[in-house]
Amino acid sequence: MDEGVGTEVRGPVAQFKAFFRLHWTRGAVGRETPEWVWRFAYHTWLIALLFKLLGSSWDESWHFKFLRDDLAPPHLLNSIGTGVAVVLVVIHTYTGMAATRRSQRLLQTGLAVFLIAAPLDVINHRISGLDLTAWSATHGLLYLGTALMLAGLIDGWLAAGPRGTLVLGALWVFFLENTVFPNGQQEYGTLEMTSCMPHGVLDVSSCYAERELLEFAANQIGRPVDYAAIEHFALPIPSWVYPLWGIGVAALVLAVAARTMKLTWAATIVAGAYVAYRAVIWPLLVAADFPPSTVPFYLVFVGLAVDLARRARQPHLVEAVLGGVLVTALGYGALYAQDVLLDAPPVAWWSAPIALVGVAGLWALARGRRWLPDRAKTSRPVSGGADA
């Protein structure tokens, strides 16, 4: 019996010990799970994801200053989160607790993809040298693995029945961050270029990146450290990628988040929380003498557009078209205002019609509830009592 454990045992270490004392037995997936175990598992997941978030944020800034190092502090911080994630997936798999069959498979697959991608990324750097972009294939596998694990966590949390929205909202913030993370290449890169061009004239000594890093990047393309080499290092991505990913793809993520959270302004809240994090982390990194990045403030307006489209309560196809129009108008409008008033990466404005059609089309195809958890077939958590 473990009734009252959730209130009597406080602190993650004490609950960790209590869990292994009371529940470390092999069980089938979907096994009846005490409420405190659900919350302990998911709160621990949030800690793991926070380590990964802080590590990845630091890592991106680090790589715009120093040559890559496998044992760089940001990698070690990220590895703490990965280690905790490995332990949690093992617990879900062995005990069958705090998971559904689908969520467990997503967690297992995501972790496998991530653990395969990590050494592949190291090998890629050994063979190719400096990886100049966050958009490489091995980095893409890392994002994919993380996305699958987050999808599994969201699926499991929803399947448990009506719950509080704080954990679900936090998971969607992590999911959004993982999705738009590659855009950081351009958000750091545009300010890197600005740092190298004081008064409109190239001055390599004023760049945020160290000379060793710039020389290494220039040697990879057989050039001296000139404007073309620095641009290839800082902004190698076509200018249409940033808005289509940061507005179009982010809008689709926020639309799904809003549907699962069932809050009036859910998309705006998730986007706002992510932007708030970015607005806090960059001055901290700058204070530690790392390069700054632009903050995607326009994302708040993308979330607002999603919420406004849903609040109109139109038939699904009309809602999809309205969503595409609002996301494009508010997203691109806010991005243009940010570019004028603050700073933003290079943007191909002609991509706006493509974003409109893409968002509206994919929004329309998302009709149906097959991607939502089937609660009727899922055992819900119990507040206490012995394990089934």
Side-chain angles (χ1 to χ4, degrees):
M1 302 290 287
D2 66 344
E3 193 167 358
V5 167
T7 56
E8 293 175 6
V9 180
R10 299 186 180 276
V13 175
Q15 289 195 343
F16 190 78
K17 292 178 179 178
F19 170 79
F20 276 94
R21 184 178 72 253
L22 297 167
H23 302 296
W24 185 246
T25 56
R26 189 167 185 81
V29 64
R31 172 183 176 186
E32 194 171 49
T33 305
E35 175 69 18
W36 78 270
V37 174
W38 273 91
R39 296 193 176 278
F40 168 66
Y42 272 79
H43 291 169
T44 308
W45 266 110
L46 293 181
I47 293 172
L49 292 166
L50 181 60
F51 272 109
K52 288 178 65 62
L53 173 65
L54 294 173
S56 61
S57 297
W58 188 10
D59 184 57
E60 197 160 30
S61 184
W62 179 283
H63 289 313
F64 272 89
K65 182 172 183 177
F66 300 118
L67 271 172
R68 187 180 189 278
D69 180 0
D70 292 337
L71 298 178
H75 292 174
L76 299 179
L77 190 61
N78 196 296
S79 296
I80 294 174
T82 301
V84 176
V86 170
V87 172
L88 287 167
V89 173
V90 170
I91 289 173
H92 287 300
T93 301
Y94 182 76
T95 66
M97 300 182 82
T100 65
R101 184 172 301 279
R102 184 167 66 179
S103 70
Q104 187 184 92
R105 286 175 177 172
L106 285 168
L107 288 170
Q108 293 166 340
T109 303
L111 181 63
V113 170
F114 189 93
L115 293 180
I116 291 171
L120 287 179
D121 189 50
V122 173
I123 294 171
N124 177 49
H125 285 290
R126 290 285 183 269
I127 295 175
S128 305
L130 182 67
D131 194 343
L132 293 177
T133 173
W135 293 89
S136 69
T138 51
H139 291 160
L141 285 174
L142 292 172
Y143 310 145
L144 175 61
T146 303
L148 289 171
M149 284 189 281
L150 283 164
L153 292 170
I154 292 168
D155 183 74
W157 187 257
L158 289 170
R163 314 292 294 275
T165 56
L166 283 178
V167 170
L168 181 60
L171 291 173
W172 276 117
V173 172
F174 284 121
F175 196 101
L176 178 65
E177 185 278 334
N178 180 68
T179 301
V180 299
F181 180 85
N183 266 359
Q185 170 76 42
Q186 293 94 305
E187 289 163 355
Y188 276 97
T190 190
L191 294 188
E192 181 70 42
M193 290 300 301
T194 300
S195 74
C196 296
M197 300 289 292
H199 311 296
V201 179
L202 179 64
D203 181 359
V204 176
S205 65
S206 73
C207 293
Y208 291 131
E210 292 193 335
R211 180 76 186 212
E212 181 186 19
L213 172 56
L214 295 176
E215 289 178 349
F216 190 96
N219 288 336
Q220 284 196 297
I221 59 173
R223 295 189 64 90
V225 182
D226 56 10
Y227 183 90
I230 295 173
E231 185 178 45
H232 181 73
F233 157 67
L235 291 171
I237 309 301
S239 58
W240 55 266
V241 173
Y242 185 80
L244 287 181
W245 197 263
I247 295 174
V249 174
L252 295 170
V253 170
L254 290 169
V256 178
R259 184 173 180 181
T260 60
M261 290 177 66
K262 302 184 185 304
L263 292 177
T264 303
W265 302 105
T268 308
I269 292 170
V270 170
Y274 168 68
V275 170
Y277 165 76
R278 289 289 303 275
V280 169
I281 196 67
W282 81 261
L284 295 178
L285 289 168
V286 170
D289 198 29
F290 286 94
S293 72
T294 63
V295 177
F297 293 107
Y298 65 90
L299 264 176
V300 177
F301 293 88
V302 175
L304 178 63
V306 170
D307 286 330
L308 289 175
R310 288 177 54 80
R311 279 178 62 83
R313 303 195 182 283
Q314 296 296 314
H316 181 72
L317 291 179
V318 176
E319 179 187 273
V321 174
L322 180 61
V325 171
L326 288 174
V327 163
T328 304
L330 291 181
Y332 275 81
L335 182 54
Y336 178 79
Q338 178 173 334
D339 187 36
V340 172
L341 299 174
L342 298 171
D343 208 340
V347 174
W349 300 106
W350 53 259
S351 63
I354 299 174
L356 192 158
V357 173
V359 170
L362 291 173
W363 192 316
L365 289 175
R367 187 172 187 174
R369 299 178 178 273
R370 288 178 297 176
W371 52 272
L372 288 173
D374 185 357
R375 292 192 176 99
K377 298 179 180 178
T378 305
S379 59
R380 299 190 179 189
V382 294
S383 58
D387 286 330

